[in-house]
Amino acid sequence: MKLLRWGPAGQEKPGMLDAQGTARDLSGLVPDIAGPVLSDAGLAMLRGLDPETLPEVPQDARLGVCVGGTGKVICIGLNYSDHAAETGAEVPSEPITFMKATSALCGPNDPIIIPQGSKSTDWEVELAIIIGTQARYIPQSEAFSHIAGYTIGNDVSERDWQKHRSGQWTKGKSSDNFGPVGPWLVTRDEVTDPQDLNLWLSVNGTRMQDGTTKTMVYGVSFLVSYLSQFFTLLPGDIIMTGTPPGVGLGMKPPRFLKPGDLVELGIDGLGQQRQEVIDDPRV
């Protein structure tokens, strides 16, 4: 099952895809793709619907972040052995964990906004986990039961701010529109093995990243269990699981995004994103 949210930013409505790939409106049945709807019981209720009996979403409707009510966006750094190698870093002995501000979240096809003063805005295609039920101190064997599903994330990053502006990585990760998520939440029953997915990213039609979740250092079930030892994971929380090699920072010389660029990315079975790169219109 593929769930989505559509409509203007801040006014998104819930929806789902039918078997033909047409978006259908769920707003008459559930308030949002959030909270109890993300539980096994909530997803089972949606799975029992006949999507073709639901109103069609306008074809030109904007897609928003595919999950609502997100309290935390937790990111994992250097979680692909080949990406760590390209940046000259050692594989961490424990997952590197940092937060991305929820205000950075945006729809999968919304523009990437270059923030004022940025010269090093970079791309990162990532498998994102959507938490479905509360998890605290859970063993790895129970991790999947707390996952609602998966989606695509682009962990857009300002590298100079991340590395040189003192302190944690959060400042380089949290500008507005630095968190495209979607296009849809694919429920976990449709993803046979999250550790066997190809993921890719192109800039202006040139393939930059072409990897597989097989090379993740810390896998999906480990990460959910591990993070639950430090804080409670809640329905709607998003875990960005790291990126494969091919980021702009790792190129020689480094290459970063500029206004007018087009970023496209995708993951097997999870859809695709498309983002135009623009200057901040508020400056």
Side-chain angles (χ1 to χ4, degrees):
M1 186 167 56
K2 296 178 174 65
L3 304 175
L4 55 94
R5 298 170 73 244
W6 63 279
Q11 303 175 44
E12 290 89 349
K13 298 179 181 180
M16 69 189 309
L17 290 187
D18 65 20
Q20 288 71 44
T22 299
R24 301 283 181 162
D25 183 18
L26 284 170
S27 58
L29 298 171
V30 294
D32 202 352
I33 306 300
V37 173
L38 298 171
S39 69
D40 284 355
L43 295 176
M45 183 274 291
L46 294 181
R47 200 172 285 114
L49 299 174
D50 180 359
E52 295 189 4
T53 65
L54 303 173
E56 290 189 19
V57 171
Q59 292 186 357
D60 61 350
R62 168 188 173 271
L63 290 178
V65 180
C66 59
V67 63
T70 299
K72 297 186 287 298
V73 183
I74 309 134
C75 302
I76 307 300
L78 300 176
N79 196 32
Y80 282 69
S81 55
D82 37 8
H83 171 56
E86 77 169 340
T87 61
E90 294 184 4
V91 173
S93 58
E94 288 190 50
I96 294 174
T97 304
F98 59 94
M99 298 291 194
K100 182 186 285 281
T102 56
S103 57
L105 293 174
C106 64
N109 303 317
D110 290 345
I112 292 173
I113 298 174
I114 304 288
Q116 184 176 11
S118 169
K119 297 180 180 178
S120 308
T121 297
D122 204 349
W123 56 83
E124 292 190 8
V125 59
E126 306 204 4
L127 174 67
I129 303 165
I130 307 297
I131 296 298
T133 54
Q134 180 173 314
R136 181 64 167 160
Y137 300 129
I138 61 166
Q140 189 172 345
S141 60
E142 297 178 8
F144 285 115
S145 67
H146 293 275
I147 295 174
Y150 306 92
T151 190
I152 304 168
N154 187 355
D155 180 20
V156 184
S157 308
E158 213 302 333
R159 300 301 189 187
D160 184 61
W161 300 356
Q162 177 186 352
K163 296 179 67 177
H164 302 129
R165 294 297 294 270
S166 299
Q168 300 178 356
W169 291 2
T170 305
K171 284 182 280 189
K173 298 283 189 172
S174 294
S175 292
D176 294 350
N177 286 41
F178 269 25
V181 170
W184 39 72
L185 185 163
V186 180
T187 52
R188 72 173 188 270
D189 59 297
E190 290 199 7
V191 180
T192 304
D193 184 0
Q195 305 306 150
D196 189 16
L197 299 174
N198 296 316
L199 59 172
W200 59 271
L201 181 145
S202 297
V203 179
N204 300 329
T206 300
R207 188 64 60 95
M208 300 296 182
Q209 292 185 273
D210 203 348
T212 171
T213 56
K214 291 179 181 178
T215 65
M216 285 173 61
V217 178
Y218 300 104
V220 166
S221 61
F222 178 88
L223 289 173
V224 172
S225 172
Y226 176 84
L227 294 172
S228 79
Q229 310 307 310
F230 299 97
F231 40 74
T232 301
L233 299 171
L234 298 171
D237 284 352
I238 299 171
I239 303 172
M240 299 270 207
T241 61
T243 198
V247 299
L249 179 66
M251 296 182 178
K252 301 188 187 317
R255 174 180 175 179
F256 298 115
L257 295 172
K258 61 184 185 303
D261 284 342
L262 176 65
V263 179
E264 297 170 287
L265 56 152
I267 300 179
D268 286 352
L270 304 186
Q272 298 185 22
Q273 298 185 357
R274 183 182 187 277
Q275 296 122 24
E276 297 178 357
V277 181
I278 64 172
D279 275 323
D280 193 331
R282 299 164 296 187
V283 175

